[in-house]
Amino acid sequence: MDVIGRFQPRRLLGKRVVQICFRFLSASVGTENMERPRISETRTPSTSVGVQRRSKSKSYRQSYHSLGAASRLGLTPGFTARRLNTKRRAPKRHSIAEKVSPDHLALLLKTEWQLSYVTPLYHFRHTQLKSYARQLSAFIAAEKEQGLAVEVEGLQSGFRASFSAVRGMAATDDDPETVFVQILSKPPFAKKDEPQKSVWSGWLSCVNGNAEYLSSLPEEFTCLPLFGSSGSEALTAAVKSWFKQTFDCCFGPLEISHTSLQWLVALWTNCHAESNIQHLKMIWSLPSAPPLQVTYTVSPGDAWELWSSVRKSPAGEEASEEASSIDIEEVTGLMKGLSSHFYRHFRLDLSAGSLSQVATALGSAKHGGKIKMSNSRYVITTLTLLTECALLKMPI
């Protein structure tokens, strides 16, 4: 099979960077004779650090700090041997633009968010958001008085917090409403009538959360396990500190594992028939000395053709729920096909490394926990996967 490719090796600060751009010329792409990728599995650490709680009740009141990085198979580090789902529904267009306010939607889609997980919030109430805004504003002011670094360059006047519920994001009756948090400020010499500008934004969400886990929580807990933030690290730390003190919870970094990134490749590629993904860009990190980074770009039509060849049954509006679902074997088949074509022409085995970044016109995701959603139709699909990742961090 003929393939057009660009091979551009470069060196950047001791790191080798290879950029590949593929164009498959074959009319159909099969998965026969594909090299089997090597899969490594990491043991779940047996240790974890407990955090003392105020309540005497220990059930669901113990939060832990996660130790180590999540394994490539989606095992939860330090807590449990649960794994990511091996089957999920194919992405469907959810018209949240008709339900979510334009301001919230614009903020959600225009921003790259740094993800964290957060344990269940004790005595959090959606009816008290105005009170929480006043409390957080006072907390940041107190932190500033104590000389802590909560300043933002060019915006050094007082900070004002804003909380708001995002209606229309809940996918099930068990999902709590998503909550947006913003920190507003303005230049010290601004006019009185000049509006304040947002200097920090964040949200807490739960989309298609595990019903069994959510129903098992005591009534005084609200589970919003997925936390996204955008802004200075100082303000992020201040907001997290206030949440910890007020709702007796814990935060931890939420990396997007190799397996989760593969799921996003498949889920977003599956959307191409309805919404042009424009490109499929992947960045792989390969173990070598010095480290090798490979940027692998595939045209949308070829990515869709390969995906169609590994699908067990075509997805469509008339297809049954079982027929339109995607399982891990199909995801593996897609990645195996991409890796095999790459190996056949460049003799580099991508399966020896790890996927560190994925990008299409629908969004982008990075292993370090950064996510950007660019199409409102598939926000629910993306947040469903990320909610699952965050819930795997929860204590059992």
Side-chain angles (χ1 to χ4, degrees):
M1 182 186 67
D2 294 328
V3 177
I4 296 176
R6 292 202 308 271
F7 187 88
Q8 298 176 318
R10 294 183 291 142
R11 281 186 182 273
L12 293 177
L13 300 177
K15 178 185 291 186
R16 289 182 292 167
V17 179
V18 177
Q19 293 185 339
I20 305 294
C21 184
F22 264 119
R23 174 68 182 174
F24 301 127
L25 300 183
S26 174
S28 62
V29 182
T31 57
E32 311 88 2
N33 304 321
M34 294 179 179
E35 292 80 6
R36 178 172 297 177
R38 298 191 295 273
I39 300 177
S40 61
E41 182 171 350
T42 304
R43 284 183 173 271
T44 303
S46 59
T47 58
S48 59
V49 180
V51 179
Q52 186 174 355
R53 315 297 292 187
R54 293 195 294 263
S55 170
K56 295 181 180 180
S57 173
K58 294 183 179 180
S59 177
Y60 297 102
R61 295 303 316 280
Q62 288 184 319
S63 297
Y64 299 87
H65 290 296
S66 178
L67 299 180
S71 79
R72 289 174 54 172
L73 294 181
L75 296 180
T76 307
F79 305 137
T80 172
R82 289 182 296 169
R83 299 168 184 253
L84 284 171
N85 289 333
T86 58
K87 178 180 289 189
R88 60 187 74 248
R89 293 179 182 178
K92 294 183 178 180
R93 290 182 293 182
H94 294 268
S95 56
I96 64 170
E98 300 174 1
K99 303 175 183 179
V100 178
S101 73
D103 291 341
H104 285 153
L105 192 60
L107 179 63
L108 186 64
L109 295 180
K110 289 182 179 180
T111 309
E112 183 177 61
W113 303 98
Q114 179 65 54
L115 299 178
S116 302
Y117 72 87
V118 55
T119 55
L121 309 177
Y122 184 59
H123 283 169
F124 178 90
R125 297 291 181 266
H126 283 78
T127 56
Q128 300 296 316
L129 297 184
K130 290 185 178 180
S131 175
Y132 298 155
R134 291 192 295 269
Q135 293 175 39
L136 178 56
S137 298
F139 179 84
I140 294 177
E143 296 285 281
K144 186 177 178 181
E145 286 293 328
Q146 294 175 15
L148 300 182
V150 294
E151 299 290 357
V152 179
E153 183 178 357
L155 296 165
Q156 301 181 358
S157 61
F159 296 100
R160 179 175 67 84
S162 170
F163 280 68
S164 57
V166 184
R167 309 295 180 186
M169 294 273 292
T172 68
D173 293 338
D174 294 326
D175 291 342
E177 293 285 0
T178 296
V179 174
F180 255 119
V181 183
Q182 285 188 286
I183 307 298
L184 307 171
S185 186
K186 61 182 179 180
F189 302 107
K191 299 179 181 179
K192 292 184 178 180
D193 59 347
E194 184 175 335
Q196 291 182 314
K197 297 180 180 180
S198 175
V199 295
W200 185 93
S201 301
W203 45 264
L204 298 99
S205 187
C206 180
V207 178
N208 277 315
N210 183 279
E212 182 180 358
Y213 179 80
L214 296 178
S215 62
S216 69
L217 292 173
E219 292 184 359
E220 60 266 27
F221 286 91
T222 300
C223 188
L224 291 165
L226 188 60
F227 176 76
S229 61
S230 175
S232 72
E233 293 183 3
L235 283 176
T236 299
V239 171
K240 288 182 176 180
S241 179
W242 178 82
F243 268 95
K244 291 177 184 178
Q245 294 182 28
T246 306
F247 303 111
D248 210 10
C249 61
C250 283
F251 289 81
L254 182 61
E255 295 181 338
I256 305 177
S257 70
H258 172 86
T259 302
S260 297
L261 289 172
Q262 289 184 328
W263 268 108
L264 287 174
V265 170
L267 292 171
W268 285 343
T269 300
N270 191 77
C271 300
H272 178 65
E274 296 178 340
S275 299
N276 191 339
I277 64 172
Q278 297 183 15
H279 61 271
L280 172 60
K281 179 180 178 181
M282 298 163 287
I283 296 181
W284 293 76
S285 298
L286 300 179
S288 63
L292 179 64
Q293 178 177 289
V294 175
T295 298
Y296 184 9
T297 302
V298 181
S299 70
D302 296 326
W304 171 255
E305 189 174 342
L306 177 59
W307 174 241
S308 299
S309 73
V310 301
R311 285 285 277 146
K312 296 178 180 178
S313 56
E317 294 182 1
E318 302 299 327
S320 65
E321 180 176 333
E322 180 68 22
S324 64
S325 63
I326 298 173
D327 63 36
I328 189 63
E329 293 179 0
E330 294 169 317
V331 176
T332 302
L334 173 64
M335 302 309 298
K336 185 186 296 184
L338 292 168
S339 298
S340 293
H341 290 305
F342 190 92
Y343 180 81
R344 190 171 297 125
H345 294 277
F346 297 100
R347 290 297 184 255
L348 282 175
D349 187 3
L350 296 180
S351 66
S354 61
L355 187 59
S356 60
Q357 186 173 336
V358 178
T360 71
L362 304 184
S364 64
K366 300 176 183 178
H367 171 71
K370 290 187 176 181
I371 187 77
K372 184 175 183 180
M373 297 168 285
S374 305
N375 190 316
S376 62
R377 295 175 179 177
Y378 304 105
V379 166
I380 297 300
T381 296
T382 304
L383 291 183
T384 295
L385 175 63
L386 296 176
T387 296
E388 183 182 339
C389 295
L391 283 174
L392 289 176
K393 296 282 191 175
M394 297 299 105
I396 58 173

